[in-house]
Amino acid sequence: MHMTSPRRFPGGGRRGIQTAHEVSHVTPQSARCFKLWSTKRNIDLIITDVDGTLLNSDQKLTERTVEHIRLAEDAGVPLMIATGKAYGPWTNEILPALASPMPQVYLQGLFIRDVDGNEMSSRVLHRDILCQVVELAAALSLTLVLYSSDRIICEERNHQTDRLIFYGEPTPEGVGPVVPFLESTDVRIHKCIFMADDDAIAAARPVVQDQFGDEVSLTSAISGMLEVLPANSSKGKGVEFVLNTLNIAPERCMALGDGENDVEMLRMVGLGIAVGNATEKAKEASDIVLDYTNDQDAVAEAITRYILS
């Protein structure tokens, strides 16, 4: 039998630890989290990451998860996706399975589509930053891919770029030297990803941070990848934009995630849930850490416990 890990509340560090049996002893700091956790039907919206959270390790949306998404919708609580991925082939399966149309947050909050598929919001990397990123990738011998809203650009395809195909991303397009390509087209680039083995990416991260400082934001969603975003941007910022548009208070939302790129989103909502396979950064940012992983229908389990119970 799977049990929820100790509940995490504000306290030691960002969120201290209390077990479910201790929640009657609520400190003033943890009162907001406890109120949402203990009061039924105090959630208006579910927000979920996709890879590693909503989908299993085979990139499939299970029947049980679909069933529970629809049960939540019937209970008046719709679900919205918030992902680091581009709009691509993977959406053909996922979007029709959602019980009702909702805005979608793509590219770590840098591109947002409304229920009709129209652009709601977007942010792009400045051209001079892009040129520096391209030069740095070459200097560090890292593969680089550049994302527009529904395209992935690279100098040439290789085993690193083609890792993205497994996730249902748009097929990377080898365009030759990237800077001349950018100068000859009006394609908008929202983010870049350095790709290599884990050790090379770990070594590159402080170099990238030192070069760009606060001119960019860095995050990671998948091992062996380091993402470069416009300054002061995150998936959480994108979610916040949608919530403001829909007039939904973050405190009345439940969010689920597994990665570093989910941290801001997990912190901003009333009930942040890390799935069992989440990184330590995601777990530390969450109110609840489930023992259930994405391969055990963690999203369905969270809906059962915190929406349907």
Side-chain angles (χ1 to χ4, degrees):
M1 179 177 180
H2 292 275
M3 298 296 292
T4 306
S5 296
R7 175 156 170 73
R8 299 174 182 267
F9 286 111
R14 179 178 180 272
R15 305 196 180 203
I17 303 292
Q18 284 184 299
T19 68
H21 298 292
E22 295 170 336
V23 294
S24 59
H25 305 288
V26 183
T27 67
Q29 287 177 300
S30 62
R32 183 183 68 82
C33 289
F34 176 67
K35 179 181 178 182
L36 180 56
W37 181 83
S38 62
T39 304
K40 291 182 172 63
R41 294 305 315 281
N42 206 21
I43 296 171
D44 294 331
L45 178 66
I46 304 163
I47 309 159
T48 183
D49 170 53
V50 177
D51 294 334
T53 304
L54 181 66
L55 304 185
N56 65 21
S57 296
D58 294 322
Q59 295 297 295
K60 298 298 183 182
L61 184 63
T62 68
E63 291 183 6
R64 180 177 180 232
T65 299
V66 170
E67 176 188 7
H68 281 70
I69 290 171
R70 292 176 178 169
L71 289 172
E73 168 72 16
D74 290 344
V77 186
L79 179 142
M80 179 178 79
I81 57 170
T83 179
K85 299 201 287 191
Y87 183 86
W90 66 274
T91 61
N92 295 332
E93 175 187 0
I94 305 307
L95 296 186
L98 302 183
S100 64
M102 290 291 294
Q104 307 111 46
V105 177
Y106 298 98
L107 300 176
Q108 314 296 16
L110 302 174
F111 192 83
I112 301 172
R113 295 164 65 103
D114 67 16
V115 294
D116 297 315
N118 301 311
E119 179 181 320
M120 285 180 67
S121 173
S122 70
R123 292 193 64 190
V124 298
L125 284 165
H126 293 155
R127 189 58 55 92
D128 60 334
I129 295 291
L130 286 172
C131 292
Q132 293 180 57
V133 169
V134 172
E135 292 175 1
L136 185 57
L140 298 177
S141 299
L142 302 175
T143 294
L144 182 71
V145 293
L146 298 82
Y147 276 69
S148 72
S149 61
D150 57 1
R151 297 174 65 186
I152 299 176
I153 306 299
C154 57
E155 183 169 338
E156 60 181 9
R157 287 175 58 180
N158 59 27
H159 72 284
Q160 291 288 353
T161 64
D162 287 359
R163 291 170 61 194
L164 300 170
I165 297 173
F166 170 75
Y167 298 98
E169 294 269 42
T171 300
E173 303 173 37
V175 298
V178 172
V179 172
F181 171 80
L182 294 175
E183 292 173 345
S184 66
T185 181
D186 60 357
V187 64
R188 299 184 302 166
I189 300 300
H190 301 280
K191 72 172 188 176
C192 301
I193 302 182
F194 294 110
M195 306 180 72
D197 61 55
D198 289 346
D199 290 342
I201 291 298
R205 186 162 188 161
V207 177
V208 177
Q209 187 66 67
D210 287 346
Q211 174 160 336
F212 293 103
D214 59 6
E215 292 183 298
V216 302
S217 294
L218 302 180
T219 194
S220 178
I222 298 173
S223 64
M225 301 186 195
L226 176 63
E227 305 197 17
V228 181
L229 319 176
N232 300 313
S233 58
S234 68
K235 184 186 292 188
K237 293 277 191 182
V239 169
E240 182 179 31
F241 173 87
V242 175
L243 296 183
N244 287 337
T245 302
L246 299 178
N247 196 28
I248 297 175
E251 293 80 7
R252 297 186 65 86
C253 297
M254 177 176 85
L256 300 101
D258 73 304
E260 175 188 342
N261 61 318
D262 297 313
V263 164
E264 294 85 358
M265 176 179 74
L266 293 170
R267 285 176 173 163
M268 68 176 287
V269 297
L271 185 59
I273 300 177
V275 295
N277 52 290
T279 63
E280 286 305 311
K281 288 184 178 180
K283 290 178 179 178
E284 290 169 1
S286 298
D287 301 305
I288 298 288
V289 179
L290 291 178
D291 286 339
Y292 283 70
T293 70
N294 64 317
D295 287 327
Q296 298 168 310
D297 299 329
V299 170
E301 182 65 20
I303 290 173
T304 297
R305 295 185 186 188
Y306 305 113
I307 304 296
L308 304 179
S309 294

